[in-house]
PDB file of all heavy atoms in Angstrom:
ATOM      1  N   ILE A   1     -98.393 -58.313 -47.305  1.00 94.00           N
ATOM      2  CA  ILE A   1     -99.716 -58.243 -46.596  1.00 94.00           C
ATOM      3  C   ILE A   1     -99.704 -59.388 -45.478  1.00 94.00           C
ATOM      4  O   ILE A   1    -100.066 -59.042 -44.349  1.00 94.00           O
ATOM      5  CB  ILE A   1    -100.867 -58.341 -47.601  1.00 94.00           C
ATOM      6  CG1 ILE A   1    -101.013 -57.140 -48.469  1.00 94.00           C
ATOM      7  CG2 ILE A   1    -102.161 -58.699 -46.869  1.00 94.00           C
ATOM      8  CD1 ILE A   1    -101.902 -57.268 -49.634  1.00 94.00           C
ATOM      9  N   THR A   2     -99.261 -60.541 -45.947  1.00 92.00           N
ATOM     10  CA  THR A   2     -99.250 -61.635 -44.941  1.00 92.00           C
ATOM     11  C   THR A   2     -98.366 -61.309 -43.714  1.00 92.00           C
ATOM     12  O   THR A   2     -98.736 -61.609 -42.616  1.00 92.00           O
ATOM     13  CB  THR A   2     -98.833 -62.959 -45.655  1.00 92.00           C
ATOM     14  OG1 THR A   2     -99.747 -63.268 -46.705  1.00 92.00           O
ATOM     15  CG2 THR A   2     -98.789 -64.109 -44.686  1.00 92.00           C
ATOM     16  N   LEU A   3     -97.187 -60.726 -44.046  1.00 94.00           N
ATOM     17  CA  LEU A   3     -96.231 -60.333 -43.013  1.00 94.00           C
ATOM     18  C   LEU A   3     -96.871 -59.323 -42.095  1.00 94.00           C
ATOM     19  O   LEU A   3     -96.794 -59.486 -40.811  1.00 94.00           O
ATOM     20  CB  LEU A   3     -94.928 -59.913 -43.521  1.00 94.00           C
ATOM     21  CG  LEU A   3     -93.943 -59.358 -42.433  1.00 94.00           C
ATOM     22  CD1 LEU A   3     -93.573 -60.539 -41.543  1.00 94.00           C
ATOM     23  CD2 LEU A   3     -92.686 -58.819 -43.207  1.00 94.00           C
ATOM     24  N   ILE A   4     -97.474 -58.310 -42.601  1.00 96.00           N
ATOM     25  CA  ILE A   4     -98.035 -57.277 -41.747  1.00 96.00           C
ATOM     26  C   ILE A   4     -99.143 -57.875 -40.896  1.00 96.00           C
ATOM     27  O   ILE A   4     -99.174 -57.619 -39.667  1.00 96.00           O
ATOM     28  CB  ILE A   4     -98.605 -56.112 -42.597  1.00 96.00           C
ATOM     29  CG1 ILE A   4     -97.512 -55.389 -43.330  1.00 96.00           C
ATOM     30  CG2 ILE A   4     -99.437 -55.149 -41.791  1.00 96.00           C
ATOM     31  CD1 ILE A   4     -97.887 -54.419 -44.384  1.00 96.00           C
ATOM     32  N   VAL A   5    -100.016 -58.646 -41.441  1.00 95.00           N
ATOM     33  CA  VAL A   5    -101.102 -59.311 -40.678  1.00 95.00           C
ATOM     34  C   VAL A   5    -100.511 -60.252 -39.591  1.00 95.00           C
ATOM     35  O   VAL A   5    -100.926 -60.312 -38.457  1.00 95.00           O
ATOM     36  CB  VAL A   5    -102.121 -59.927 -41.501  1.00 95.00           C
ATOM     37  CG1 VAL A   5    -103.261 -60.702 -40.667  1.00 95.00           C
ATOM     38  CG2 VAL A   5    -102.853 -58.926 -42.451  1.00 95.00           C
ATOM     39  N   PHE A   6     -99.450 -60.934 -39.983  1.00 96.00           N
ATOM     40  CA  PHE A   6     -98.810 -61.932 -39.072  1.00 96.00           C
ATOM     41  C   PHE A   6     -98.180 -61.167 -37.907  1.00 96.00           C
ATOM     42  O   PHE A   6     -98.331 -61.631 -36.779  1.00 96.00           O
ATOM     43  CB  PHE A   6     -97.750 -62.752 -39.808  1.00 96.00           C
ATOM     44  CG  PHE A   6     -97.584 -64.139 -39.385  1.00 96.00           C
ATOM     45  CD1 PHE A   6     -97.159 -65.113 -40.263  1.00 96.00           C
ATOM     46  CD2 PHE A   6     -97.852 -64.556 -38.130  1.00 96.00           C
ATOM     47  CE1 PHE A   6     -97.056 -66.405 -39.945  1.00 96.00           C
ATOM     48  CE2 PHE A   6     -97.681 -65.880 -37.681  1.00 96.00           C
ATOM     49  CZ  PHE A   6     -97.315 -66.771 -38.602  1.00 96.00           C
ATOM     50  N   VAL A   7     -97.520 -60.101 -38.222  1.00 97.00           N
ATOM     51  CA  VAL A   7     -96.874 -59.370 -37.129  1.00 97.00           C
ATOM     52  C   VAL A   7     -97.903 -58.776 -36.163  1.00 97.00           C
ATOM     53  O   VAL A   7     -97.799 -58.819 -34.845  1.00 97.00           O
ATOM     54  CB  VAL A   7     -95.962 -58.268 -37.677  1.00 97.00           C
ATOM     55  CG1 VAL A   7     -95.556 -57.173 -36.612  1.00 97.00           C
ATOM     56  CG2 VAL A   7     -94.752 -58.804 -38.415  1.00 97.00           C
ATOM     57  N   ILE A   8     -98.919 -58.203 -36.690  1.00 97.00           N
ATOM     58  CA  ILE A   8    -100.021 -57.666 -35.868  1.00 97.00           C
ATOM     59  C   ILE A   8    -100.738 -58.685 -35.018  1.00 97.00           C
ATOM     60  O   ILE A   8    -100.788 -58.625 -33.797  1.00 97.00           O
ATOM     61  CB  ILE A   8    -101.105 -56.888 -36.706  1.00 97.00           C
ATOM     62  CG1 ILE A   8    -100.362 -55.608 -37.288  1.00 97.00           C
ATOM     63  CG2 ILE A   8    -102.261 -56.455 -35.874  1.00 97.00           C
ATOM     64  CD1 ILE A   8    -101.237 -54.874 -38.390  1.00 97.00           C
ATOM     65  N   PHE A   9    -101.328 -59.701 -35.687  1.00 97.00           N
ATOM     66  CA  PHE A   9    -102.060 -60.713 -34.971  1.00 97.00           C
ATOM     67  C   PHE A   9    -101.158 -61.680 -34.186  1.00 97.00           C
ATOM     68  O   PHE A   9    -101.566 -62.191 -33.073  1.00 97.00           O
ATOM     69  CB  PHE A   9    -102.990 -61.387 -35.894  1.00 97.00           C
ATOM     70  CG  PHE A   9    -104.207 -60.525 -36.297  1.00 97.00           C
ATOM     71  CD1 PHE A   9    -104.087 -59.633 -37.272  1.00 97.00           C
ATOM     72  CD2 PHE A   9    -105.363 -60.659 -35.527  1.00 97.00           C
ATOM     73  CE1 PHE A   9    -105.232 -58.819 -37.558  1.00 97.00           C
ATOM     74  CE2 PHE A   9    -106.422 -59.835 -35.819  1.00 97.00           C
ATOM     75  CZ  PHE A   9    -106.386 -58.942 -36.897  1.00 97.00           C
ATOM     76  N   GLY A  10     -99.993 -62.010 -34.754  1.00 97.00           N
ATOM     77  CA  GLY A  10     -99.092 -62.876 -34.019  1.00 97.00           C
ATOM     78  C   GLY A  10     -98.461 -62.113 -32.867  1.00 97.00           C
ATOM     79  O   GLY A  10     -98.385 -62.658 -31.784  1.00 97.00           O
ATOM     80  N   GLY A  11     -98.242 -60.810 -32.956  1.00 97.00           N
ATOM     81  CA  GLY A  11     -97.795 -59.961 -31.920  1.00 97.00           C
ATOM     82  C   GLY A  11     -98.825 -59.964 -30.808  1.00 97.00           C
ATOM     83  O   GLY A  11     -98.523 -60.019 -29.554  1.00 97.00           O
ATOM     84  N   MET A  12    -100.137 -59.809 -31.110  1.00 98.00           N
ATOM     85  CA  MET A  12    -101.170 -59.818 -30.100  1.00 98.00           C
ATOM     86  C   MET A  12    -101.238 -61.125 -29.415  1.00 98.00           C
ATOM     87  O   MET A  12    -101.526 -61.243 -28.177  1.00 98.00           O
ATOM     88  CB  MET A  12    -102.491 -59.416 -30.719  1.00 98.00           C
ATOM     89  CG  MET A  12    -102.566 -57.957 -31.133  1.00 98.00           C
ATOM     90  SD  MET A  12    -104.207 -57.321 -31.523  1.00 98.00           S
ATOM     91  CE  MET A  12    -104.803 -58.324 -32.686  1.00 98.00           C
ATOM     92  N   THR A  13    -101.074 -62.263 -30.187  1.00 97.00           N
ATOM     93  CA  THR A  13    -101.074 -63.584 -29.514  1.00 97.00           C
ATOM     94  C   THR A  13     -99.908 -63.678 -28.539  1.00 97.00           C
ATOM     95  O   THR A  13    -100.260 -64.166 -27.398  1.00 97.00           O
ATOM     96  CB  THR A  13    -100.948 -64.652 -30.704  1.00 97.00           C
ATOM     97  OG1 THR A  13    -102.101 -64.737 -31.368  1.00 97.00           O
ATOM     98  CG2 THR A  13    -100.599 -66.003 -29.975  1.00 97.00           C
ATOM     99  N   LEU A  14     -98.779 -63.182 -28.891  1.00 98.00           N
ATOM    100  CA  LEU A  14     -97.674 -63.299 -27.910  1.00 98.00           C
ATOM    101  C   LEU A  14     -97.837 -62.354 -26.745  1.00 98.00           C
ATOM    102  O   LEU A  14     -97.525 -62.713 -25.619  1.00 98.00           O
ATOM    103  CB  LEU A  14     -96.370 -63.037 -28.658  1.00 98.00           C
ATOM    104  CG  LEU A  14     -96.061 -64.069 -29.813  1.00 98.00           C
ATOM    105  CD1 LEU A  14     -94.805 -63.546 -30.569  1.00 98.00           C
ATOM    106  CD2 LEU A  14     -95.790 -65.478 -29.241  1.00 98.00           C
ATOM    107  N   TYR A  15     -98.291 -61.150 -26.985  1.00 98.00           N
ATOM    108  CA  TYR A  15     -98.397 -60.126 -25.970  1.00 98.00           C
ATOM    109  C   TYR A  15     -99.483 -60.507 -24.955  1.00 98.00           C
ATOM    110  O   TYR A  15     -99.301 -60.493 -23.761  1.00 98.00           O
ATOM    111  CB  TYR A  15     -98.661 -58.756 -26.581  1.00 98.00           C
ATOM    112  CG  TYR A  15     -98.809 -57.672 -25.575  1.00 98.00           C
ATOM    113  CD1 TYR A  15     -97.677 -57.080 -25.005  1.00 98.00           C
ATOM    114  CD2 TYR A  15    -100.137 -57.176 -25.141  1.00 98.00           C
ATOM    115  CE1 TYR A  15     -97.727 -56.098 -24.004  1.00 98.00           C
ATOM    116  CE2 TYR A  15    -100.163 -56.208 -24.114  1.00 98.00           C
ATOM    117  CZ  TYR A  15     -99.022 -55.656 -23.613  1.00 98.00           C
ATOM    118  OH  TYR A  15     -99.075 -54.660 -22.656  1.00 98.00           O
ATOM    119  N   PHE A  16    -100.659 -60.895 -25.465  1.00 98.00           N
ATOM    120  CA  PHE A  16    -101.782 -61.236 -24.567  1.00 98.00           C
ATOM    121  C   PHE A  16    -101.785 -62.716 -24.173  1.00 98.00           C
ATOM    122  O   PHE A  16    -102.630 -63.140 -23.343  1.00 98.00           O
ATOM    123  CB  PHE A  16    -103.117 -60.878 -25.259  1.00 98.00           C
ATOM    124  CG  PHE A  16    -103.343 -59.421 -25.433  1.00 98.00           C
ATOM    125  CD1 PHE A  16    -103.287 -58.858 -26.750  1.00 98.00           C
ATOM    126  CD2 PHE A  16    -103.536 -58.601 -24.364  1.00 98.00           C
ATOM    127  CE1 PHE A  16    -103.507 -57.511 -26.886  1.00 98.00           C
ATOM    128  CE2 PHE A  16    -103.707 -57.226 -24.541  1.00 98.00           C
ATOM    129  CZ  PHE A  16    -103.738 -56.713 -25.857  1.00 98.00           C
ATOM    130  N   HIS A  17    -100.823 -63.526 -24.764  1.00 97.00           N
ATOM    131  CA  HIS A  17    -100.716 -64.864 -24.428  1.00 97.00           C
ATOM    132  C   HIS A  17    -102.077 -65.565 -24.700  1.00 97.00           C
ATOM    133  O   HIS A  17    -102.602 -66.345 -23.861  1.00 97.00           O
ATOM    134  CB  HIS A  17    -100.257 -65.157 -23.062  1.00 97.00           C
ATOM    135  CG  HIS A  17     -99.431 -66.385 -22.909  1.00 97.00           C
ATOM    136  ND1 HIS A  17     -98.236 -66.552 -23.486  1.00 97.00           N
ATOM    137  CD2 HIS A  17     -99.723 -67.553 -22.338  1.00 97.00           C
ATOM    138  CE1 HIS A  17     -97.733 -67.790 -23.225  1.00 97.00           C
ATOM    139  NE2 HIS A  17     -98.630 -68.437 -22.494  1.00 97.00           N
ATOM    140  N   ASN A  18    -102.633 -65.308 -25.914  1.00 97.00           N
ATOM    141  CA  ASN A  18    -103.968 -65.828 -26.323  1.00 97.00           C
ATOM    142  C   ASN A  18    -103.924 -66.225 -27.768  1.00 97.00           C
ATOM    143  O   ASN A  18    -103.737 -65.418 -28.614  1.00 97.00           O
ATOM    144  CB  ASN A  18    -105.022 -64.761 -26.045  1.00 97.00           C
ATOM    145  CG  ASN A  18    -106.434 -65.315 -26.256  1.00 97.00           C
ATOM    146  OD1 ASN A  18    -106.598 -66.376 -26.932  1.00 97.00           O
ATOM    147  ND2 ASN A  18    -107.417 -64.564 -25.816  1.00 97.00           N
ATOM    148  N   PRO A  19    -104.083 -67.536 -28.043  1.00 97.00           N
ATOM    149  CA  PRO A  19    -103.936 -67.967 -29.404  1.00 97.00           C
ATOM    150  C   PRO A  19    -105.082 -67.527 -30.387  1.00 97.00           C
ATOM    151  O   PRO A  19    -104.937 -67.739 -31.582  1.00 97.00           O
ATOM    152  CB  PRO A  19    -103.876 -69.545 -29.296  1.00 97.00           C
ATOM    153  CG  PRO A  19    -104.560 -69.781 -27.964  1.00 97.00           C
ATOM    154  CD  PRO A  19    -104.303 -68.626 -27.149  1.00 97.00           C
ATOM    155  N   ILE A  20    -106.158 -66.979 -29.856  1.00 97.00           N
ATOM    156  CA  ILE A  20    -107.270 -66.613 -30.773  1.00 97.00           C
ATOM    157  C   ILE A  20    -106.856 -65.593 -31.793  1.00 97.00           C
ATOM    158  O   ILE A  20    -107.278 -65.646 -32.966  1.00 97.00           O
ATOM    159  CB  ILE A  20    -108.422 -66.091 -29.908  1.00 97.00           C
ATOM    160  CG1 ILE A  20    -109.733 -66.160 -30.865  1.00 97.00           C
ATOM    161  CG2 ILE A  20    -108.288 -64.669 -29.364  1.00 97.00           C
ATOM    162  CD1 ILE A  20    -110.132 -67.510 -31.366  1.00 97.00           C
ATOM    163  N   PHE A  21    -105.903 -64.757 -31.419  1.00 97.00           N
ATOM    164  CA  PHE A  21    -105.471 -63.711 -32.443  1.00 97.00           C
ATOM    165  C   PHE A  21    -104.750 -64.330 -33.570  1.00 97.00           C
ATOM    166  O   PHE A  21    -104.981 -63.880 -34.764  1.00 97.00           O
ATOM    167  CB  PHE A  21    -104.511 -62.647 -31.746  1.00 97.00           C
ATOM    168  CG  PHE A  21    -105.235 -61.929 -30.675  1.00 97.00           C
ATOM    169  CD1 PHE A  21    -104.961 -62.143 -29.278  1.00 97.00           C
ATOM    170  CD2 PHE A  21    -106.246 -60.914 -30.889  1.00 97.00           C
ATOM    171  CE1 PHE A  21    -105.532 -61.505 -28.325  1.00 97.00           C
ATOM    172  CE2 PHE A  21    -106.792 -60.314 -29.845  1.00 97.00           C
ATOM    173  CZ  PHE A  21    -106.505 -60.522 -28.516  1.00 97.00           C
ATOM    174  N   ILE A  22    -103.796 -65.348 -33.366  1.00 97.00           N
ATOM    175  CA  ILE A  22    -103.198 -65.959 -34.501  1.00 97.00           C
ATOM    176  C   ILE A  22    -104.130 -66.779 -35.319  1.00 97.00           C
ATOM    177  O   ILE A  22    -103.998 -66.899 -36.540  1.00 97.00           O
ATOM    178  CB  ILE A  22    -101.902 -66.783 -34.061  1.00 97.00           C
ATOM    179  CG1 ILE A  22    -101.024 -67.050 -35.142  1.00 97.00           C
ATOM    180  CG2 ILE A  22    -102.385 -68.078 -33.437  1.00 97.00           C
ATOM    181  CD1 ILE A  22    -100.393 -65.799 -35.802  1.00 97.00           C
ATOM    182  N   LYS A  23    -105.192 -67.231 -34.676  1.00 97.00           N
ATOM    183  CA  LYS A  23    -106.209 -67.982 -35.453  1.00 97.00           C
ATOM    184  C   LYS A  23    -106.977 -67.106 -36.371  1.00 97.00           C
ATOM    185  O   LYS A  23    -107.552 -67.533 -37.401  1.00 97.00           O
ATOM    186  CB  LYS A  23    -107.186 -68.653 -34.455  1.00 97.00           C
ATOM    187  CG  LYS A  23    -106.564 -69.782 -33.697  1.00 97.00           C
ATOM    188  CD  LYS A  23    -107.581 -70.416 -32.705  1.00 97.00           C
ATOM    189  CE  LYS A  23    -106.971 -71.503 -31.856  1.00 97.00           C
ATOM    190  NZ  LYS A  23    -107.854 -72.164 -31.005  1.00 97.00           N
ATOM    191  N   TRP A  24    -107.075 -65.807 -36.054  1.00 97.00           N
ATOM    192  CA  TRP A  24    -107.728 -64.790 -36.996  1.00 97.00           C
ATOM    193  C   TRP A  24    -106.938 -64.455 -38.184  1.00 97.00           C
ATOM    194  O   TRP A  24    -107.386 -63.956 -39.174  1.00 97.00           O
ATOM    195  CB  TRP A  24    -108.051 -63.549 -36.193  1.00 97.00           C
ATOM    196  CG  TRP A  24    -109.428 -63.568 -35.600  1.00 97.00           C
ATOM    197  CD1 TRP A  24    -109.798 -64.186 -34.363  1.00 97.00           C
ATOM    198  CD2 TRP A  24    -110.632 -63.002 -36.152  1.00 97.00           C
ATOM    199  NE1 TRP A  24    -111.184 -63.881 -34.177  1.00 97.00           N
ATOM    200  CE2 TRP A  24    -111.672 -63.183 -35.244  1.00 97.00           C
ATOM    201  CE3 TRP A  24    -110.835 -62.292 -37.336  1.00 97.00           C
ATOM    202  CZ2 TRP A  24    -112.989 -62.815 -35.529  1.00 97.00           C
ATOM    203  CZ3 TRP A  24    -112.162 -61.864 -37.611  1.00 97.00           C
ATOM    204  CH2 TRP A  24    -113.213 -62.214 -36.684  1.00 97.00           C
ATOM    205  N   LYS A  25    -105.585 -64.589 -38.054  1.00 96.00           N
ATOM    206  CA  LYS A  25    -104.662 -64.222 -39.157  1.00 96.00           C
ATOM    207  C   LYS A  25    -104.986 -64.740 -40.478  1.00 96.00           C
ATOM    208  O   LYS A  25    -105.214 -63.924 -41.473  1.00 96.00           O
ATOM    209  CB  LYS A  25    -103.249 -64.510 -38.751  1.00 96.00           C
ATOM    210  CG  LYS A  25    -102.201 -64.015 -39.759  1.00 96.00           C
ATOM    211  CD  LYS A  25    -101.254 -65.189 -40.087  1.00 96.00           C
ATOM    212  CE  LYS A  25    -100.852 -65.323 -41.469  1.00 96.00           C
ATOM    213  NZ  LYS A  25    -100.701 -66.435 -42.168  1.00 96.00           N
ATOM    214  N   PRO A  26    -105.272 -66.019 -40.704  1.00 96.00           N
ATOM    215  CA  PRO A  26    -105.621 -66.469 -42.097  1.00 96.00           C
ATOM    216  C   PRO A  26    -106.879 -65.787 -42.540  1.00 96.00           C
ATOM    217  O   PRO A  26    -107.067 -65.505 -43.698  1.00 96.00           O
ATOM    218  CB  PRO A  26    -105.847 -68.016 -41.872  1.00 96.00           C
ATOM    219  CG  PRO A  26    -105.059 -68.349 -40.666  1.00 96.00           C
ATOM    220  CD  PRO A  26    -105.147 -67.153 -39.816  1.00 96.00           C
ATOM    221  N   THR A  27    -107.911 -65.632 -41.641  1.00 97.00           N
ATOM    222  CA  THR A  27    -109.197 -65.006 -42.027  1.00 97.00           C
ATOM    223  C   THR A  27    -108.963 -63.589 -42.579  1.00 97.00           C
ATOM    224  O   THR A  27    -109.403 -63.181 -43.579  1.00 97.00           O
ATOM    225  CB  THR A  27    -110.130 -65.020 -40.814  1.00 97.00           C
ATOM    226  OG1 THR A  27    -110.524 -66.402 -40.549  1.00 97.00           O
ATOM    227  CG2 THR A  27    -111.409 -64.279 -41.192  1.00 97.00           C
ATOM    228  N   ILE A  28    -108.159 -62.813 -41.826  1.00 97.00           N
ATOM    229  CA  ILE A  28    -107.895 -61.419 -42.172  1.00 97.00           C
ATOM    230  C   ILE A  28    -107.219 -61.452 -43.544  1.00 97.00           C
ATOM    231  O   ILE A  28    -107.570 -60.621 -44.495  1.00 97.00           O
ATOM    232  CB  ILE A  28    -107.103 -60.681 -41.152  1.00 97.00           C
ATOM    233  CG1 ILE A  28    -107.787 -60.586 -39.838  1.00 97.00           C
ATOM    234  CG2 ILE A  28    -106.692 -59.311 -41.670  1.00 97.00           C
ATOM    235  CD1 ILE A  28    -109.182 -59.907 -39.915  1.00 97.00           C
ATOM    236  N   VAL A  29    -106.238 -62.225 -43.805  1.00 95.00           N
ATOM    237  CA  VAL A  29    -105.424 -62.317 -45.048  1.00 95.00           C
ATOM    238  C   VAL A  29    -106.405 -62.701 -46.124  1.00 95.00           C
ATOM    239  O   VAL A  29    -106.404 -62.071 -47.146  1.00 95.00           O
ATOM    240  CB  VAL A  29    -104.243 -63.242 -44.877  1.00 95.00           C
ATOM    241  CG1 VAL A  29    -103.614 -63.503 -46.282  1.00 95.00           C
ATOM    242  CG2 VAL A  29    -103.190 -62.698 -43.991  1.00 95.00           C
ATOM    243  N   PHE A  30    -107.204 -63.748 -45.972  1.00 97.00           N
ATOM    244  CA  PHE A  30    -108.154 -64.198 -46.927  1.00 97.00           C
ATOM    245  C   PHE A  30    -109.195 -63.111 -47.316  1.00 97.00           C
ATOM    246  O   PHE A  30    -109.484 -62.892 -48.500  1.00 97.00           O
ATOM    247  CB  PHE A  30    -108.795 -65.551 -46.660  1.00 97.00           C
ATOM    248  CG  PHE A  30    -107.875 -66.679 -46.582  1.00 97.00           C
ATOM    249  CD1 PHE A  30    -108.041 -67.602 -45.626  1.00 97.00           C
ATOM    250  CD2 PHE A  30    -106.905 -66.888 -47.455  1.00 97.00           C
ATOM    251  CE1 PHE A  30    -107.173 -68.726 -45.506  1.00 97.00           C
ATOM    252  CE2 PHE A  30    -106.048 -67.920 -47.509  1.00 97.00           C
ATOM    253  CZ  PHE A  30    -106.165 -68.851 -46.527  1.00 97.00           C
ATOM    254  N   TRP A  31    -109.657 -62.419 -46.246  1.00 97.00           N
ATOM    255  CA  TRP A  31    -110.684 -61.404 -46.573  1.00 97.00           C
ATOM    256  C   TRP A  31    -110.074 -60.196 -47.296  1.00 97.00           C
ATOM    257  O   TRP A  31    -110.701 -59.615 -48.141  1.00 97.00           O
ATOM    258  CB  TRP A  31    -111.324 -61.005 -45.231  1.00 97.00           C
ATOM    259  CG  TRP A  31    -112.368 -62.031 -44.769  1.00 97.00           C
ATOM    260  CD1 TRP A  31    -112.729 -63.130 -45.370  1.00 97.00           C
ATOM    261  CD2 TRP A  31    -113.067 -61.951 -43.521  1.00 97.00           C
ATOM    262  NE1 TRP A  31    -113.612 -63.812 -44.615  1.00 97.00           N
ATOM    263  CE2 TRP A  31    -113.835 -63.150 -43.418  1.00 97.00           C
ATOM    264  CE3 TRP A  31    -113.042 -61.049 -42.441  1.00 97.00           C
ATOM    265  CZ2 TRP A  31    -114.690 -63.456 -42.384  1.00 97.00           C
ATOM    266  CZ3 TRP A  31    -113.907 -61.379 -41.317  1.00 97.00           C
ATOM    267  CH2 TRP A  31    -114.660 -62.629 -41.342  1.00 97.00           C
ATOM    268  N   ILE A  32    -108.773 -59.865 -46.940  1.00 96.00           N
ATOM    269  CA  ILE A  32    -108.116 -58.831 -47.691  1.00 96.00           C
ATOM    270  C   ILE A  32    -107.962 -59.215 -49.153  1.00 96.00           C
ATOM    271  O   ILE A  32    -108.336 -58.394 -50.097  1.00 96.00           O
ATOM    272  CB  ILE A  32    -106.709 -58.485 -47.091  1.00 96.00           C
ATOM    273  CG1 ILE A  32    -106.925 -57.800 -45.720  1.00 96.00           C
ATOM    274  CG2 ILE A  32    -105.879 -57.605 -48.011  1.00 96.00           C
ATOM    275  CD1 ILE A  32    -105.628 -57.648 -44.904  1.00 96.00           C
ATOM    276  N   PHE A  33    -107.533 -60.451 -49.416  1.00 96.00           N
ATOM    277  CA  PHE A  33    -107.414 -60.866 -50.798  1.00 96.00           C
ATOM    278  C   PHE A  33    -108.788 -60.949 -51.464  1.00 96.00           C
ATOM    279  O   PHE A  33    -108.871 -60.507 -52.633  1.00 96.00           O
ATOM    280  CB  PHE A  33    -106.760 -62.271 -50.874  1.00 96.00           C
ATOM    281  CG  PHE A  33    -105.317 -62.314 -50.474  1.00 96.00           C
ATOM    282  CD1 PHE A  33    -104.701 -63.486 -50.140  1.00 96.00           C
ATOM    283  CD2 PHE A  33    -104.545 -61.172 -50.429  1.00 96.00           C
ATOM    284  CE1 PHE A  33    -103.351 -63.541 -49.759  1.00 96.00           C
ATOM    285  CE2 PHE A  33    -103.160 -61.203 -50.036  1.00 96.00           C
ATOM    286  CZ  PHE A  33    -102.629 -62.371 -49.691  1.00 96.00           C
ATOM    287  N   GLY A  34    -109.817 -61.401 -50.774  1.00 97.00           N
ATOM    288  CA  GLY A  34    -111.078 -61.554 -51.384  1.00 97.00           C
ATOM    289  C   GLY A  34    -111.724 -60.157 -51.771  1.00 97.00           C
ATOM    290  O   GLY A  34    -112.190 -59.979 -52.941  1.00 97.00           O
ATOM    291  N   PHE A  35    -111.454 -59.188 -50.878  1.00 97.00           N
ATOM    292  CA  PHE A  35    -111.966 -57.819 -51.199  1.00 97.00           C
ATOM    293  C   PHE A  35    -111.142 -57.169 -52.261  1.00 97.00           C
ATOM    294  O   PHE A  35    -111.575 -56.313 -53.015  1.00 97.00           O
ATOM    295  CB  PHE A  35    -112.125 -56.968 -49.920  1.00 97.00           C
ATOM    296  CG  PHE A  35    -113.258 -57.396 -49.143  1.00 97.00           C
ATOM    297  CD1 PHE A  35    -113.138 -57.954 -47.862  1.00 97.00           C
ATOM    298  CD2 PHE A  35    -114.610 -57.304 -49.655  1.00 97.00           C
ATOM    299  CE1 PHE A  35    -114.193 -58.348 -47.091  1.00 97.00           C
ATOM    300  CE2 PHE A  35    -115.689 -57.693 -48.892  1.00 97.00           C
ATOM    301  CZ  PHE A  35    -115.529 -58.263 -47.642  1.00 97.00           C
ATOM    302  N   ALA A  36    -109.825 -57.473 -52.339  1.00 95.00           N
ATOM    303  CA  ALA A  36    -108.988 -57.010 -53.496  1.00 95.00           C
ATOM    304  C   ALA A  36    -109.505 -57.563 -54.784  1.00 95.00           C
ATOM    305  O   ALA A  36    -109.486 -56.835 -55.742  1.00 95.00           O
ATOM    306  CB  ALA A  36    -107.480 -57.327 -53.218  1.00 95.00           C
ATOM    307  N   PHE A  37    -109.777 -58.808 -54.820  1.00 96.00           N
ATOM    308  CA  PHE A  37    -110.291 -59.416 -56.034  1.00 96.00           C
ATOM    309  C   PHE A  37    -111.605 -58.796 -56.402  1.00 96.00           C
ATOM    310  O   PHE A  37    -111.876 -58.434 -57.594  1.00 96.00           O
ATOM    311  CB  PHE A  37    -110.489 -60.907 -55.895  1.00 96.00           C
ATOM    312  CG  PHE A  37    -109.254 -61.726 -56.193  1.00 96.00           C
ATOM    313  CD1 PHE A  37    -108.347 -61.983 -55.152  1.00 96.00           C
ATOM    314  CD2 PHE A  37    -109.015 -62.250 -57.438  1.00 96.00           C
ATOM    315  CE1 PHE A  37    -107.166 -62.724 -55.405  1.00 96.00           C
ATOM    316  CE2 PHE A  37    -107.856 -62.986 -57.659  1.00 96.00           C
ATOM    317  CZ  PHE A  37    -106.940 -63.238 -56.646  1.00 96.00           C
ATOM    318  N   LEU A  38    -112.433 -58.547 -55.400  1.00 96.00           N
ATOM    319  CA  LEU A  38    -113.774 -57.894 -55.697  1.00 96.00           C
ATOM    320  C   LEU A  38    -113.559 -56.459 -56.202  1.00 96.00           C
ATOM    321  O   LEU A  38    -114.240 -56.087 -57.182  1.00 96.00           O
ATOM    322  CB  LEU A  38    -114.581 -57.911 -54.408  1.00 96.00           C
ATOM    323  CG  LEU A  38    -116.022 -57.257 -54.545  1.00 96.00           C
ATOM    324  CD1 LEU A  38    -116.849 -58.030 -55.507  1.00 96.00           C
ATOM    325  CD2 LEU A  38    -116.657 -57.247 -53.163  1.00 96.00           C
ATOM    326  N   GLY A  39    -112.729 -55.772 -55.628  1.00 96.00           N
ATOM    327  CA  GLY A  39    -112.428 -54.351 -56.046  1.00 96.00           C
ATOM    328  C   GLY A  39    -111.932 -54.298 -57.506  1.00 96.00           C
ATOM    329  O   GLY A  39    -112.299 -53.357 -58.171  1.00 96.00           O
ATOM    330  N   SER A  40    -111.177 -55.337 -57.877  1.00 95.00           N
ATOM    331  CA  SER A  40    -110.588 -55.290 -59.219  1.00 95.00           C
ATOM    332  C   SER A  40    -111.714 -55.511 -60.284  1.00 95.00           C
ATOM    333  O   SER A  40    -111.504 -55.334 -61.480  1.00 95.00           O
ATOM    334  CB  SER A  40    -109.525 -56.305 -59.365  1.00 95.00           C
ATOM    335  OG  SER A  40    -109.983 -57.611 -59.511  1.00 95.00           O
TER     336      SER A  40
END
């Protein structure tokens, strides 16, 4: 999960040359984990 989000948001950071996308990566990973815990 971390790799997939890293590739997507890191890739957008590199492509658009804007660090905001990589800054979103931990949030997306944490929210995925949070909702996985909630779903369980």
